[in-house]
């Protein structure tokens, strides 16, 4: 007979007698501050005086809303068919990239490293890279290896181009085996810069590897290219493809990691799932044009394409909300000559209807948000369409251009008049803002949950990473369907809060 297995989660496991006794002994050993001191400090952290001190700090970053460059480079590499991301650095760094993606996507992430240790830091990582390339190609049989770097390799000045050339000369890899590379030091930039650098490197490398295929060249001439940007939603890539299919447009997604990071459980494990065919990427420059769905995570790629591919290039805005999705569809239509089908027009109408239904509960709600530049611009645009007031907008990896663009967007609507944009600040700064100038809810990644809890406001989880909720990345947040998903997340969160706070006579079944 089957027995029920009792599975304790963290909430119940650590309430058991064994762990409670252990916690008491630990407390005795640590001799912590008194409860009064803790409460006094917690109260002080909520004051305007502390907020000013918090914003005055310069030499310390606490909980930034960003990740490092090589993480983005790994994601870009995962978007190409049978491509192995290869990081020149320590195993610990690569463990961080793999675990970060695995916790967000709930998928294994094939990525290898050169396993640099102390000796490589002193004498250089040449041998690590040569032997690593030889082993990786031999064991995992990739069609391409995409090499990026970490802090260690950058600080000691390892020359990737020379090292890879030496590996070819020594026979560790063949002369023709494709090995694009990107320098991605973790101590500057962020994951979106690393993504951009690797995407540019792969496209520029493959662009010179066209064969004599006249048929492929002719097919490429009938296509447009779409670059997702640093995209933590596999659902977004699939939504972009659905829209293009509905418009009867032929296309190549440049960097399609939707199958790699959302693979089926069918009893068979494969190292590589899907991805952009290397041959399609090689002929992408022959296409009618290229559209990047994100602007700030494709800057270097944009410059390369504009200077070398000789066809129209359009970047952003990310198609979140009605206005931005309208703009994307019109640009696709202009580029391809294909009309916008009635099915998409009907979809748009249904979303507008849903927005009207939810408007009474969202209008005038004050929101704080944190994330990447492109995502934030999309969320600001959608918030203004819904009558939500974006009050605190924090972008750790934003710059002056993003700040000015966000301010212009806010100025277009009366709902944006109280909005302030903070670039280069972290989530501890945002915590001070939430405690001194409260809002109704926050939008951001899992890491924002601590500040949201301290401020006693709900968090709508959008962005990267989302570790503590499942399957969010499978639902698109772009296009009309994605706009409906975001609307549902926000309005149902507001309604849930309304129920929680309702006195008995207002705890209603109809909202």
């Amino acid at each position: 007979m089957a027995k029920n297995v009792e599975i304790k989660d963290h909430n119940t496991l650590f309430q058991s007698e064994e762990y409670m006794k252990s916690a008491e002994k630990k407390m005795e050993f640590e001799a912590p501050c008194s409860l009064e001191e803790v409460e006094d400090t917690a109260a002080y952290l909520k004051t305007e005086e502390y907020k000013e001190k918090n914003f005055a700090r310069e030499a310390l970053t606490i909980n930034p809303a960003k990740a490092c460059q090589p993480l983005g480079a790994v994601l870009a590499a995962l978007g190409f068919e049978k491509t192995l991301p290869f990081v020149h650095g320590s195993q610990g760094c690569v463990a961080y990239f793999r675990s970060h993606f695995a916790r967000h996507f709930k998928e294994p992430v094939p990525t290898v490293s050169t396993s640099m240790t102390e000796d490589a830091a002193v004498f250089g990582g040449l041998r690590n890279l040569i032997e690593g390339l030889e082993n990786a190609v031999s064991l995992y049989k990739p069609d391409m290896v995409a090499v990026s770097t970490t802090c260690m390799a950058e600080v000691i000045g390892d020359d990737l181009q020379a090292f890879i050339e030496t590996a070819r000369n020594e026979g560790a890899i063949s002369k023709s085996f494709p090995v694009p590379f990107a320098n991605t030091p973790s101590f500057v930039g962020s994951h979106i810069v690393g993504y951009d650098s690797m995407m540019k490197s792969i496209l520029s490398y493959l662009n010179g590897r066209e064969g004599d295929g006249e048929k492929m060249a002719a097919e490429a001439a009938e296509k447009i290219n779409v670059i997702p940007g640093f995209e933590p939603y596999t659902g977004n890539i699939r939504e972009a493809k659905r829209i293009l299919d509905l418009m009867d447009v032929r296309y190549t997604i440049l960097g399609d990691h939707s199958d790699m990071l959302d693979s089926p459980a069918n009893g068979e494990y494969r190292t590589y799932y899907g991805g952009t065919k290397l041959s399609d990427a090689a002929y992408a420059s022959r296409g009618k044009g290229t559209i990047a769905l994100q602007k700030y995570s494709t800057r270097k790629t944009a410059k390369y394409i504009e200077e070398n591919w000789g066809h129209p290039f359009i970047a952003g805005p990310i198609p979140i909300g009605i206005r931005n999705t309208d703009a994307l569809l019109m640009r696709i239509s202009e580029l391809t000559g294909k009309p916008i089908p009635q099915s998409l027009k009907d979809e748009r109408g249904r979303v507008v209807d849903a927005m009207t239904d939810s408007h009474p509960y969202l209008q005038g709600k004050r929101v704080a948000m944190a994330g990447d530049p492109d995502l934030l611009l999309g969320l600001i645009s959608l918030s203004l369409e819904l009558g939500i007031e974006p009050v605190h907008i924090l972008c750790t990896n934003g710059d002056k251009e993003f700040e000015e663009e966000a301010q212009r967007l806010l100025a277009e609507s009366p709902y944006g008049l109280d909005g302030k944009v903070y670039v280069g600040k972290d989530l501890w700064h945002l915590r001070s803002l939430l405690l001194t100038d409260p809002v109704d809810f926050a939008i951001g990644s899992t890491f924002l949950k601590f500040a949201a809890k301290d401020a006693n406001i709900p968090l709508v989880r959008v962005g990267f990473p989302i570790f503590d909720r499942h399957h969010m990345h499978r639902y698109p947040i772009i296009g009309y369907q994605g706009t409906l998903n975001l609307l549902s997340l926000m309005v149902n969160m507001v309604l849930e809060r309304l129920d929680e706070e309702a006195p008995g006579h207002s705890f209603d079944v109809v909202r």
Side-chain angles (χ1 to χ4, degrees):
M1 178 181 292
K3 291 179 63 178
N4 289 331
V5 178
E6 183 185 3
I7 300 175
K8 293 183 178 179
D9 62 16
H10 283 71
N11 290 351
T12 54
L13 177 65
F14 294 108
Q15 295 300 317
S16 62
E17 184 179 354
E18 178 186 1
Y19 283 99
M20 293 297 286
K21 284 183 178 178
S22 176
E24 289 173 6
K25 290 179 181 177
K26 184 169 181 282
M27 188 176 294
E28 183 180 345
F29 174 76
E30 291 178 341
C33 299
S34 68
L35 186 59
E36 285 184 346
E37 288 175 305
V38 173
E39 290 176 347
D40 288 346
T41 302
Y44 175 66
L45 294 180
K46 298 178 180 178
T47 63
E48 283 285 348
E49 180 184 350
Y50 176 75
K51 188 187 85 173
E52 291 181 11
K53 288 185 177 180
N54 191 13
F55 271 77
R57 67 181 157 89
E58 297 179 352
L60 176 68
T61 299
I62 305 173
N63 205 5
K66 71 181 184 74
C68 62
Q69 282 206 53
L71 181 141
V74 168
L75 186 69
L78 289 170
F80 290 85
E81 186 180 41
K82 292 195 71 174
T83 296
L84 184 66
F86 183 103
V87 182
H88 186 40
S90 71
Q91 286 184 326
C93 290
V94 179
Y96 155 59
F97 310 144
R98 294 174 66 172
S99 65
H100 228 59
F101 285 131
R103 288 168 177 163
H104 177 83
F105 292 105
K106 317 301 182 195
E107 294 283 346
V109 179
T111 304
V112 298
S113 80
T114 52
S115 301
M116 291 175 71
T117 53
E118 290 84 350
D119 56 342
V122 174
F123 300 109
L126 173 62
R127 298 316 309 174
N128 295 63
L129 188 131
I130 291 173
E131 292 171 13
L133 277 176
E134 187 173 20
N135 289 336
V137 172
S138 174
L139 287 172
Y140 302 110
K141 316 293 184 191
D143 284 351
M144 182 167 76
V145 171
V147 181
S148 55
T149 53
T150 65
C151 299
M152 187 193 297
E154 290 293 329
V155 168
I156 64 178
D158 278 0
D159 186 337
L160 282 185
Q161 185 166 4
F163 284 12
I164 294 169
E165 190 60 30
T166 303
R168 294 190 195 281
N169 292 335
E170 292 189 8
I173 53 174
S174 72
K175 293 285 186 183
S176 60
F177 188 83
V179 186
F181 65 90
N183 292 96
T184 52
S186 302
F187 43 78
V188 293
S190 73
H191 55 287
I192 63 172
V193 176
Y195 173 91
D196 191 15
S197 296
M198 182 54 79
M199 180 59 68
K200 180 208 163 194
S201 174
I202 290 174
L203 294 183
S204 58
Y205 189 95
L206 294 176
N207 188 48
R209 298 173 68 88
E210 293 180 3
D212 297 327
E214 291 183 9
K215 182 182 176 185
M216 289 204 66
E219 288 179 356
E222 297 298 318
K223 294 180 180 178
I224 63 169
N225 308 306
V226 176
I227 302 175
F230 184 91
E231 183 52 80
Y233 287 80
T234 54
N236 278 356
I237 297 177
R238 290 185 172 139
E239 179 63 10
K241 290 191 280 192
R242 188 183 72 88
I243 290 171
L244 291 162
D245 287 337
L246 286 172
M247 293 186 70
D248 193 26
V249 169
R250 300 190 65 190
Y251 58 87
T252 297
I253 302 290
L254 294 174
D256 180 359
H257 53 258
S258 59
D259 289 337
M260 175 62 79
L261 296 172
D262 192 9
S263 59
N266 55 13
E268 177 189 1
Y269 174 76
R270 291 154 51 192
T271 306
Y272 310 103
Y273 291 86
T276 305
K277 291 182 181 301
L278 304 190
S279 55
D280 285 345
Y283 284 91
S285 63
R286 307 287 189 96
K288 291 181 176 179
T290 299
I291 296 175
L293 300 184
Q294 299 177 14
K295 171 182 171 185
Y296 289 88
S297 68
T298 58
R299 282 168 161 167
K300 293 177 184 175
T301 306
K303 188 170 186 294
Y304 161 72
I305 292 176
E306 287 172 333
E307 291 178 353
N308 294 280
W309 284 14
H311 67 208
F313 179 83
I314 301 162
I318 188 171
I320 291 177
I322 295 294
R323 182 170 78 166
N324 289 355
T325 303
D326 288 351
L328 174 66
L329 298 192
M330 287 189 285
R331 284 169 175 170
I332 294 173
S333 181
E334 290 166 5
L335 202 58
T336 63
K338 298 282 187 178
I340 299 171
Q342 188 61 43
S343 58
L344 282 173
K345 292 177 182 176
D346 290 344
E347 231 175 72
R348 183 186 192 279
R350 285 192 286 272
V351 177
V352 171
D353 183 56
M355 293 168 81
T356 308
D357 294 340
S358 302
H359 188 256
Y361 293 100
L362 294 177
Q363 183 183 15
K365 293 296 181 186
R366 289 160 52 87
V367 65
M369 56 181 71
D372 290 337
D374 291 292
L375 175 67
L376 287 175
L377 290 170
L379 292 174
I380 293 170
S381 184
L382 173 61
S383 296
L384 299 178
E385 290 174 354
L386 295 170
I388 295 173
E389 299 177 13
V391 179
H392 310 304
I393 300 145
L394 186 136
C395 190
T396 303
N397 53 353
D399 58 13
K400 192 66 178 174
E401 183 183 347
F402 161 76
E403 183 178 5
E404 290 174 354
E405 189 171 352
Q407 293 287 7
R408 285 197 300 273
L409 191 55
L410 291 166
E412 291 177 4
S413 167
Y415 297 111
L417 296 180
D418 291 335
K420 291 182 181 177
V421 182
Y422 303 89
V423 300
K425 301 301 181 186
D426 56 47
L427 296 179
W428 192 252
H429 288 113
L430 186 55
R431 181 183 183 276
S432 276
L433 295 170
L434 297 180
L435 292 170
T436 56
D437 187 12
V439 295
D440 294 297
F441 65 95
I443 305 176
S445 75
T446 290
F447 288 126
L448 186 49
K449 70 187 287 184
F450 303 102
K453 184 174 183 180
D454 289 347
N456 191 29
I457 57 172
L459 170 65
V460 178
R461 287 162 174 79
V462 177
F464 175 83
I466 297 176
F467 293 154
D468 60 341
R469 295 292 185 272
H470 285 202
H471 315 304
M472 303 288 284
H473 65 281
R474 294 187 166 100
Y475 294 89
I477 62 169
I478 66 166
Y480 300 128
Q481 187 59 49
T483 299
L484 182 60
N485 289 339
L486 284 174
L487 169 66
S488 301
L489 280 174
M490 286 191 273
V491 72
N492 287 324
M493 177 276 304
V494 169
L495 294 175
E496 183 70 27
R497 191 72 163 181
L498 198 59
D499 275 349
E500 290 172 1
E501 298 173 345
H505 58 77
S506 293
F507 190 66
D508 210 340
V509 296
V510 179
R511 298 289 189 191

